[in-house]
Amino acid sequence: MPASVRHGTRRYHGDDRMKVLVVGSGGREHALAWQLDREGVDVIVAPGNGGTPGALNVLANDIDGLVELATQQCVDLTIVGPEAPLAAGLVDRFAEHGLRAFGPTQAAARLEWSKAWTKEFLERHRIPTAAAEVVDSESAARRAIARVGLPTVLKADGLAGGKGVFVVSAEAEQEEALDQLFRRRGLGDAADHVLIEECLVGPELSVLAFTDGERVAVMPPARDYKRLSEGDRGPNTGGMGGYTWPSYATDALLHDVERRILEPTLAGMRKEGHPYRGVLYAGLMLTDTGPKVLEFNCRFGDPECQLILPLLSSRLVDACDAVVEGRLRPDEVRWANHQTYGVVLAARGYPDSPIVGDPIEGLDTVSEGVVAFHAGTRLDRAGRLVSAGGRVLTLVGFDRRKVYRTAESVDFQGKQYRRDIGVETMSAVGVAP
């Protein structure tokens, strides 16, 4: 078949392989590219990082540049990693140019880019979530906190890179959160509106699913660790690691989540004229009265993507293709029956002021069965791999001990990582961590 010949809704190339563009530069995007490469897909990443194939110098928020890139490169499918380009309408713009992109439209992605709108949506459709009040000033926030009492949760309405949530249980923490949100304006426009939310109690769970707007294919559930240090201490981060299939994520629980949360959310989005296609990520708190929604994300999580994709035994490209075309078959998305563990190696100074440019050593000693997904990495002028962001690497494997041995052997100045990832699950099955 000649190069770049149209065939149905896809465009194939001389070697008859699909060509896929992955948008983003983190560990999630490296994991997506890694999986697609294993499937024999011709994959390029924009802008990518020091570990991704075919990295191109087009930023994830440069929608016009990505349209031009996808057109010039004869891309068959684009998979969007981060939330910002989805919130900016990348999928809509691609559709205008006859290009296929995996992810929700700008209107559907509002489930992530406006927590206030989402809270009202959940209440309209009677989907279980924490009670909350939306405020737009420090004085209103103080009055709302006084009504709710401590502990409580303060959330910036807009996108904040995983750093817009403050769980406050003491007056000093409350003052720090109010200072960050309203006085220093550390989160900018994302904190024009702030949710004062009931503090739920219970284990957390991330449940992600492929969906074509009607059907869902639920992925292996994961437990993410947001706090910087062991024992859930320190500041919130974008995620310091996690593991799949925590012991409390039973089949009955997942069925309940699908029935009471995922399906009603999709039905509500269809009813309101914003059908949702892509990955729907539900961040849940498992309370005494059942699972409740903490947040929705409109894409693969990070580090959840790195934890989940090594378990995929069917093809990622086929699932994404079926979602885009509205023909998802949940029974055709298959998973291996294993657990994965992932540990993030973060830069010194993370999360407030990460220091970059430190040489990374020891990647040639990565244990067999462990994958090092690059996030904040780049190649310097001398061709050395150096740190380039707060979360530098995510190490993932089936054997927790091997993952931690690798975490010890891979090195860069001031590296930070949690040493308690998966401890509760190991203890629950009677195995010493």
Side-chain angles (χ1 to χ4, degrees):
M1 182 179 293
S4 299
V5 173
R6 286 282 183 181
H7 179 70
T9 57
R10 300 179 184 172
R11 180 168 47 200
Y12 289 86
H13 305 271
D15 57 4
D16 207 33
R17 294 191 302 167
M18 281 191 74
K19 190 167 191 176
V20 175
L21 167 64
V22 174
V23 175
S25 61
R28 164 184 48 217
E29 289 74 37
H30 188 190
L32 289 165
W34 171 82
Q35 177 64 30
L36 291 166
D37 183 67
R38 293 204 302 168
E39 296 170 8
V41 172
D42 184 6
V43 58
I44 55 175
V45 188
N49 57 45
T52 53
L56 298 169
N57 192 26
V58 180
L59 298 179
N61 59 0
D62 182 1
I63 308 298
D64 290 336
L66 291 167
V67 167
E68 183 178 359
L69 174 64
T71 303
Q72 290 179 347
Q73 293 283 334
C74 298
V75 166
D76 300 302
L77 178 67
T78 296
I79 300 177
V80 186
E83 62 273 21
L86 294 169
L90 181 149
V91 171
D92 311 68
R93 187 79 65 81
F94 269 49
E96 292 170 3
H97 289 267
L99 299 167
R100 303 166 70 246
F102 174 86
T105 63
Q106 183 180 42
R110 196 172 187 178
L111 280 174
E112 179 167 5
W113 60 259
S114 177
K115 291 182 175 64
W117 183 87
T118 299
K119 185 65 66 173
E120 294 169 355
F121 171 87
L122 292 169
E123 292 170 352
R124 283 196 300 274
H125 295 279
R126 298 181 180 179
I127 298 167
T129 188
E133 181 177 345
V134 180
V135 301
D136 57 9
S137 69
E138 181 181 346
S139 58
R142 289 186 180 278
R143 291 192 296 271
I145 294 170
R147 285 190 290 271
V148 175
L150 299 180
T152 191
V153 181
L154 283 67
K155 293 182 177 179
D157 171 51
L159 299 178
K163 300 174 185 176
V165 178
F166 302 84
V167 180
V168 300
S169 56
E171 186 174 346
E173 294 173 332
Q174 172 186 312
E175 292 306 312
E176 172 61 26
L178 292 173
D179 183 54
Q180 174 77 350
L181 290 165
F182 293 106
R183 295 175 221 143
R184 282 186 283 160
R185 297 287 295 172
L187 300 177
D189 294 345
D192 282 349
H193 304 286
V194 173
L195 280 72
I196 310 300
E197 189 172 273
E198 169 193 13
C199 186
L200 300 177
V201 177
E204 292 189 37
L205 189 68
S206 300
V207 177
L208 288 72
F210 292 106
T211 178
D212 62 1
E214 296 188 12
R215 292 160 289 272
V216 294
V218 177
M219 304 181 197
R223 159 49 161 124
D224 178 23
Y225 291 70
K226 289 293 187 189
R227 297 278 190 165
L228 180 67
S229 304
E230 289 85 358
D232 285 332
R233 297 188 303 271
N236 270 329
T237 72
M240 292 299 292
Y243 64 98
T244 55
W245 287 111
S247 57
Y248 50 82
T250 63
D251 289 343
L253 173 66
L254 294 179
H255 177 73
D256 194 39
V257 169
E258 186 172 346
R259 180 179 59 85
R260 297 179 59 209
I261 293 173
L262 299 180
E263 290 176 353
T265 297
L266 296 176
M269 293 297 282
R270 292 195 303 271
K271 183 177 180 181
E272 297 193 10
H274 311 302
Y276 188 101
R277 289 183 177 180
V279 170
L280 181 60
Y281 170 139
L284 307 172
M285 184 72 81
L286 308 182
T287 72
D288 289 342
T289 57
K292 294 187 177 183
V293 176
L294 294 174
E295 65 176 356
F296 280 126
N297 291 333
C298 59
R299 34 68 190 184
F300 284 100
D302 185 340
E304 287 89 351
C305 185
Q306 298 94 296
L307 300 170
I308 290 170
L309 285 185
L311 297 173
L312 184 61
S313 56
S314 54
R315 284 165 47 94
L316 172 65
V317 70
D318 291 342
C320 294
D321 204 47
V323 164
V324 170
E325 295 184 1
R327 53 173 180 79
L328 180 66
R329 292 281 302 273
D331 59 317
E332 294 181 354
V333 183
R334 298 180 297 276
W335 305 94
N337 187 26
H338 299 294
Q339 279 187 298
T340 53
Y341 300 87
V343 176
V344 168
L345 304 186
R348 52 189 172 130
Y350 180 76
D352 295 328
S353 302
I355 297 171
V356 301
D358 291 324
I360 301 167
E361 300 176 345
L363 282 175
D364 56 344
T365 67
V366 171
S367 301
E368 183 179 355
V370 176
V371 182
F373 292 118
H374 291 234
T377 71
R378 65 176 176 84
L379 298 175
D380 68 9
R381 291 182 179 178
R384 299 179 307 168
L385 188 71
V386 299
S387 62
R391 293 188 292 174
V392 179
L393 298 162
T394 308
L395 307 175
V396 178
F398 299 129
D399 186 322
R400 182 179 181 275
R401 292 177 181 83
K402 285 186 177 181
V403 172
Y404 271 105
R405 281 200 295 270
T406 303
E408 293 170 3
S409 63
V410 174
D411 200 27
F412 50 88
Q413 187 173 354
K415 73 176 178 183
Q416 304 181 74
Y417 64 96
R418 285 186 61 152
R419 292 163 175 81
D420 62 348
I421 303 294
V423 166
E424 54 267 85
T425 250
M426 301 293 285
S427 300
V429 297
V431 179

